[in-house]
Amino acid sequence: MSDLTLESTVKLHTGGSMPRLGFGSGGLKEQVGIDAVEHALKSGYLMVDTAQQYQNEQEVKTGIAKSGVPREQVYICTKWQPPPEGSNIRMTPEQVRDEARQSVLRLDQSGSGKEYLDLMLIHHPRPDAEGRKSFWAGLALAQKEGWVKDIGVSNFNVKHLEALPAPLPAVNQIELHPWCQQREIVDYCRRKGIALQAFCPLVRIRKDKFEDPVVVKIAKKHDRGVAHVLLRWNLQKGFVPIPKASSPSRIDANKALYDFQLDDEDMKELDALDQGAAGRISGIDPATLPE
């Protein structure tokens, strides 16, 4: 992993590729969101992650436009939002496709008539297997029509993934950090060639995690911050972390990951921090989501 750079990509089983580090935009709205995305791209990030649920796709679009970085050099990932839990709303694949199309128009600023997204995910596995199949068929339609290059899922467990019809998801975005390693899902995705994006890679800066003696010791050993250690662990595990930040200094710091490497002992100690479901920060446990 010593040859990793900010420009490194991961090869997807579809033949496409995705940057190894992304910029997360969850919770970044209005001018704060615009400025954060603009700065992230100007400073070298190659991927921006958003979602319909975040209600900031327009801000992401504006930030991309203000950055001056050409559209073809920005990898845009968003997440399609299933109907609310308990709503009993059923959608046909065509309805899902049409709703997904709105995200493309909110995010691609080219105005060329050939707008596209690089990756679209189903944000949650609700409500049930029947619903997921219809939602997945809708994203597959979008991909077939060419305005979404790759499709994937988020918060899906092994049973959810096994029940999906073709095509195989390119990506599964789940919570991943040393205290929540989701090894069963990770092992399954690796066997199938499904790339893993990591949300909450910085554990939302939780004080008890950032002051964990093991992580603090490793950070001091490398003369780096705790955030650097957590993100570098993600990279060396083969995951694609998508850290969120709003201040320019933190955005810049979160990409300063390529001039040091965690050794085998560091990785072993960090791996030993796994707490399973108890280590979750997001409160989302794929194992307990509807089958």
Side-chain angles (χ1 to χ4, degrees):
M1 292 293 179
S2 59
D3 58 347
L4 284 174
T5 70
L6 188 58
E7 292 75 36
S8 294
T9 59
V10 58
K11 193 75 172 177
L12 303 177
H13 71 73
T14 59
S17 60
M18 175 174 62
R20 286 293 310 277
L21 179 72
F23 177 72
S25 69
L28 302 180
K29 290 185 164 186
E30 301 177 343
Q31 195 62 46
V32 171
I34 293 170
D35 292 346
V37 171
E38 177 186 5
H39 183 81
L41 293 176
K42 282 182 174 179
S43 65
Y45 285 82
L46 300 173
M47 173 166 60
V48 180
D49 174 82
T50 183
Q52 292 179 348
Q53 179 177 312
Y54 303 162
Q55 298 181 17
N56 68 352
E57 290 176 325
Q58 187 66 48
E59 286 93 328
V60 169
K61 172 181 177 177
T62 303
I64 293 172
K66 290 187 67 177
S67 75
V69 178
R71 167 66 185 93
E72 61 271 17
Q73 295 179 22
V74 182
Y75 190 99
I76 303 176
C77 168
T78 194
K79 296 179 279 295
W80 180 80
Q81 181 70 4
E85 189 170 0
S87 67
N88 294 318
I89 296 174
R90 296 292 171 175
M91 298 179 69
T92 66
E94 291 76 17
Q95 288 174 319
V96 173
R97 175 203 59 195
D98 293 346
E99 193 172 285
R101 179 70 181 166
Q102 298 309 305
S103 280
V104 180
L105 300 177
R106 285 191 291 266
L107 281 162
D108 189 326
Q109 80 280 6
S110 64
S112 63
K114 298 181 180 179
E115 294 85 2
Y116 70 94
L117 293 179
D118 298 278
L119 178 65
M120 180 171 280
L121 313 177
I122 297 177
H123 205 156
H124 299 284
R126 61 176 183 255
D128 52 32
E130 180 185 351
R132 286 191 296 275
K133 287 179 181 179
S134 182
F135 302 160
W136 187 240
L139 292 198
L141 274 176
Q143 184 182 36
K144 185 176 182 180
E145 291 176 4
W147 44 271
V148 174
K149 290 188 174 182
D150 280 301
I151 57 176
V153 296
S154 181
N155 298 304
F156 274 47
N157 64 29
V158 172
K159 289 183 179 180
H160 299 147
L161 292 166
E162 288 178 334
L164 278 182
L168 185 72
V171 172
N172 189 13
Q173 185 182 120
I174 58 176
E175 180 177 346
L176 287 168
H177 49 74
W179 297 274
C180 178
Q181 297 180 35
Q182 307 217 56
R183 295 180 183 183
E184 180 185 10
I185 302 174
V186 167
D187 289 346
Y188 178 87
C189 289
R190 283 176 171 162
R191 290 197 306 271
K192 295 294 185 178
I194 301 171
L196 287 153
Q197 287 183 334
F199 72 77
C200 287
L202 296 179
V203 292
R204 295 180 179 166
I205 322 295
R206 275 264 300 267
K207 183 178 180 183
D208 59 325
K209 306 302 186 188
F210 264 57
E211 293 181 355
D212 186 293
V214 171
V215 184
V216 170
K217 180 189 72 172
I218 294 172
K220 288 181 178 179
K221 172 182 172 180
H222 293 278
D223 193 25
R224 294 294 188 275
V226 167
H228 296 126
V229 170
L230 297 180
L231 292 173
R232 185 71 202 190
W233 176 87
N234 257 282
L235 290 173
Q236 291 184 211
K237 295 293 284 189
F239 307 145
V240 177
I242 43 175
K244 177 185 75 173
S246 58
S247 72
S249 61
R250 178 48 57 193
I251 293 170
D252 292 343
N254 285 347
K255 65 181 178 65
L257 307 171
Y258 306 101
D259 58 352
F260 79 105
Q261 185 174 8
L262 301 175
D263 59 35
D264 290 344
E265 185 61 28
D266 297 332
M267 295 298 289
K268 182 178 178 181
E269 289 188 82
L270 291 167
D271 286 350
L273 294 177
D274 192 16
Q275 298 174 341
R280 296 184 189 282
I281 300 299
S282 67
I284 301 173
D285 183 356
T288 65
L289 293 174
E291 295 185 11

